[in-house]
Amino acid sequence: MAKTIAEINEKIRKGKAVVVTAEEVIDIAKEKGVSRAAEEIDVVTTGTFGPMCGSGAFLNIGHSRPRIKLGGGKVYLNDVPVYAGMAAVDIFLGATAIPDDDPRNKFYPGDFNYGGGHVIEELVAGKDIRLTATAFGTDCYPRKKLETLINIKDINEAILFNLRNAYQNYNVAVNLSDKVIYTYMGVLKPNLGNAHYSTAGQLSPLLNDPYYKTIGVGTKIFLGGGVGYVAWNGTQHNPAALRGDNGVPRRGAGTLAVIGDLKQMKPEWLVGTSMLGYGCTLTVGIGVPIPILSEEVLRYTTVSDAGILAPIVDYSEAYSQMKPDILGEVSCAELKSGCIKVRGKDVPTGSLSSYPKAMEIAGTLKKWIEKGEFLLTEPVAPLPGVESGITFKPLKERPIGE
Amino acid sequence: MDVSRRIVLHFPPNITGQPVVYRLVKDFGLTFNLLKASVSPGEEGLMVMELSGKQENYDKGIQYLTETGVEIQSLSQDVVRDESRCTHCGACIAICPTLAFSLEPKTRNVLFDHNKCVVCGLCVKACPPRAMISHF
């Protein structure tokens, strides 16, 4: 029954492709069997919507008259510092950057109400952004100071380039200590007061293609409400992570680096986010289509929340001190029930990743494909798999010496 | 007819020294369940309470409070959700001490029950997209 992406695209063009979401495919395969489902279904769409700190945007703001060389200078967007160590008017706006005068955790826990992620959201929303810059001045770039409003519609390029998104599985965070802790996994109450997780589970892109058999460099995706592409594997990509019998990682494993034109994205899918006591970030919407090339590919997409296990980690000690200890494993289905058992105690759960929004993304991508507006791409290179030998290494600190 | 309402009382600095709540009990026969209080002499004070009693007495009590200079708001207006910013992630659910948030099982949307909210404000800062807003 093996299909090719070209054949599937032909069906998409004719409006005849059968597209289902990663949630719908579970019951279809149960009802019809994997073999028949694989024959009938052409594409399974996935989705995820969660805070992803490895996000940011490259901007080329155009040359002022007279010219200014921002490269090597200092540049701010709405008081948020951006990276300018590149060409004259190219800058990089990182999701976690915060204004120099933000009190941070000086008044603990800090609020972190505004940072790079919020600037990205406002930029995408078409709002004017205040750019202030100082430079040292050269013969060909004499200007030393620039203060201007910029708007996404006027600047040359605005490219979202997220270095690490869509983590394949993630920790469940708890707090064993006797005081509240403020983490990137949210507010964790003392003595196992709550457990926070962050995954779209059965809808999550990489959990539906656990061995990266279809998702590769060049895969066209839903990104921030528009179209984007998988640019590379994400940083910390760890295909060698512990896996279950179903092939699904039981620890944080693969990641994606993604890229796309920010100008066609939407603020609803790139949301500036504040983590109390931790910092600012960006909540990103990503959806990846999985072409059903074989029965095996279809079988992987039938993974359900019950078949996805995640490790429970104490963020007051084990996480912060880089200790490998976990407090057990729990399935996504248990997490979604609202309560899990940790060390014999009933612990209420909360999520940082939005399942309703993940469903909306998978549904939107499904519609785009059904309407023939979104064709699939053939990856130009695979993501490193289990056989690559790549592992996730800690920093090896070495003394600098005299 | 008996009524029971959750209200927010704002005390101007000049009356924080007066036994206002005592008079609600003594003169109007009302009972109160204090949910939150921040009252210091000479400063603006805040009290969140559930006030109960006969409708007639309740109305008189409220009239007394207003005449004394206390500003009254109904509690449900005090922490509100900006629906346009809520992403229905669920980071608020296990934070809330009174279980005011719950998941709608089918859609997994996060529901917010104003009646259970005691305006502690924990969700306001714990909400990642800052969708929970307190109005004091």
Side-chain angles (χ1 to χ4, degrees):
Chain A
M1 65 127 293
K3 289 177 228 174
T4 65
I5 288 177
E7 284 165 2
I8 293 173
N9 276 341
E10 202 40 47
K11 289 177 88 174
I12 296 174
R13 275 192 205 95
K14 288 179 182 157
K16 288 183 176 165
V18 177
V19 190
V20 302
T21 68
E23 190 183 82
E24 292 164 343
V25 74
I26 298 168
D27 286 340
I28 296 172
K30 253 185 220 156
E31 194 188 306
K32 301 187 172 181
V34 168
S35 183
R36 210 177 126 203
E39 264 174 46
E40 291 180 10
I41 296 168
D42 298 306
V43 185
V44 170
T45 59
T46 63
T48 187
F49 187 72
M52 304 189 197
C53 290
S55 304
F58 285 101
L59 312 176
N60 177 290
I61 63 158
H63 291 273
S64 60
R65 188 175 295 132
R67 293 179 192 266
I68 185 168
K69 182 167 94 87
L70 302 178
K74 279 193 157 54
V75 185
Y76 296 87
L77 293 178
N78 286 355
D79 297 328
V80 174
V82 302
Y83 183 72
M86 295 173 291
V89 293
D90 290 318
I91 50 177
F92 180 76
L93 165 60
T96 67
I98 47 175
D100 290 344
D101 61 358
D102 185 290
R104 292 160 164 79
N105 265 341
K106 210 168 181 178
F107 304 104
Y108 176 82
D111 283 355
F112 301 102
N113 284 324
Y114 195 84
H118 300 84
V119 181
I120 292 174
E121 181 186 335
E122 291 189 355
L123 191 67
V124 178
K127 289 187 183 163
D128 282 339
I129 305 291
R130 192 166 28 84
L131 180 145
T132 51
T134 50
F136 50 84
T138 73
D139 291 339
C140 49
Y141 288 86
R143 198 154 165 186
K144 291 182 180 172
K145 206 172 164 204
L146 178 63
E147 286 186 7
T148 179
L149 292 176
I150 62 166
N151 193 289
I152 194 166
K153 68 177 194 301
D154 303 325
I155 62 179
N156 290 313
E157 284 89 13
I159 304 159
L160 189 75
F161 187 15
N162 301 347
L163 206 51
R164 181 171 67 254
N165 278 178
Y167 233 119
Q168 189 179 24
N169 212 337
Y170 213 82
N171 291 343
V172 178
V174 296
N175 175 10
L176 289 181
S177 79
D178 57 8
K179 62 179 203 321
V180 181
I181 60 170
Y182 301 91
T183 74
Y184 70 87
M185 292 296 284
V187 179
L188 299 175
K189 299 201 278 192
N191 306 313
L192 294 169
N194 59 342
H196 277 178
Y197 62 101
S198 189
T199 177
Q202 61 196 13
L203 272 178
S204 177
L206 289 176
L207 290 174
N208 279 279
D209 184 10
Y211 289 111
Y212 330 118
K213 288 190 182 285
T214 69
I215 303 172
V217 177
T219 296
K220 192 170 145 190
I221 60 171
F222 171 111
L223 178 60
V227 169
Y229 296 87
V230 173
W232 205 250
N233 61 267
T235 51
Q236 296 180 194
H237 182 70
N238 184 20
L242 179 70
R243 287 169 190 263
D245 293 339
N246 56 1
V248 174
R250 288 157 60 179
R251 301 288 181 273
T255 64
L256 298 177
V258 297
I259 192 164
D261 180 5
L262 196 62
K263 293 191 179 196
Q264 41 97 53
M265 295 185 196
K266 296 187 173 70
E268 303 93 282
W269 301 108
L270 294 169
V271 177
T273 299
S274 306
M275 301 310 298
L276 185 63
Y278 180 77
C280 292
T281 184
L282 184 70
T283 296
V284 182
I286 293 180
V288 180
I290 296 176
I292 302 305
L293 304 176
S294 67
E295 214 173 286
E296 184 191 14
V297 170
L298 186 282
R299 187 178 299 112
Y300 286 128
T301 67
T302 62
V303 69
S304 72
D305 287 331
I308 301 166
L309 294 177
I312 304 166
V313 177
D314 169 31
Y315 271 61
S316 72
E317 172 80 15
Y319 184 85
S320 54
Q321 299 306 318
M322 280 284 280
K323 293 178 181 170
D325 326 352
I326 66 165
L327 299 164
E329 286 179 312
V330 67
S331 77
C332 269
E334 291 168 277
L335 287 166
K336 282 190 179 172
S337 76
C339 190
I340 58 170
K341 260 215 166 18
V342 185
R343 290 188 165 176
K345 187 180 171 184
D346 286 332
V347 182
T349 60
S351 170
L352 295 177
S353 171
S354 169
Y355 195 79
K357 292 283 177 191
M359 283 210 287
E360 205 177 324
I361 290 168
T364 302
L365 189 53
K366 174 182 163 173
K367 263 188 224 128
W368 288 355
I369 298 170
E370 281 174 342
K371 282 191 198 159
E373 294 167 357
F374 186 106
L375 293 177
L376 309 188
T377 57
E378 195 92 47
V380 292
L383 297 176
V386 178
E387 71 294 338
S388 69
I390 290 177
T391 55
F392 177 27
K393 297 188 286 286
L395 174 67
K396 193 174 159 193
E397 283 184 73
R398 290 179 296 146
I400 293 172
E402 295 301 304
Chain B
M1 194 181 72
D2 284 351
V3 290
S4 182
R5 297 214 177 101
R6 291 176 183 209
I7 51 174
V8 182
L9 309 180
H10 297 266
F11 293 78
N14 58 325
I15 58 163
T16 45
Q18 296 180 30
V20 174
V21 178
Y22 167 78
R23 290 208 44 202
L24 284 179
V25 178
K26 180 90 176 9
D27 298 356
F28 305 103
L30 298 172
T31 59
F32 69 94
N33 177 24
L34 199 56
L35 302 169
K36 180 176 178 172
S38 161
V39 182
S40 309
E43 287 175 28
E44 185 169 314
L46 171 88
M47 222 177 250
V48 183
M49 63 167 67
E50 186 165 358
L51 193 62
S52 318
K54 287 202 167 24
Q55 177 80 57
E56 194 191 340
N57 294 343
Y58 181 89
D59 292 343
K60 280 183 191 158
I62 294 292
Q63 194 187 348
Y64 156 72
L65 288 172
T66 312
E67 282 166 7
T68 316
V70 178
E71 198 186 308
I72 305 161
Q73 280 180 294
S74 96
L75 180 57
S76 60
Q77 289 166 3
D78 289 332
V79 168
V80 294
R81 184 162 75 176
D82 178 350
E83 298 297 337
S84 70
R85 278 208 77 76
C86 175
T87 64
H88 297 273
C89 66
C92 51
I93 291 176
I95 300 295
C96 176
T98 58
L99 309 176
F101 298 97
S102 60
L103 280 178
E104 207 275 307
K106 197 169 154 53
T107 62
R108 301 201 66 78
N109 278 327
V110 177
L111 307 176
F112 174 48
D113 184 349
H114 283 97
N115 293 328
K116 289 187 181 168
C117 174
V118 295
V119 200
C120 69
L122 276 179
C123 61
V124 173
K125 288 186 171 184
C127 170
R130 295 287 188 263
M132 301 306 296
I133 301 160
S134 65
H135 289 302
F136 282 116

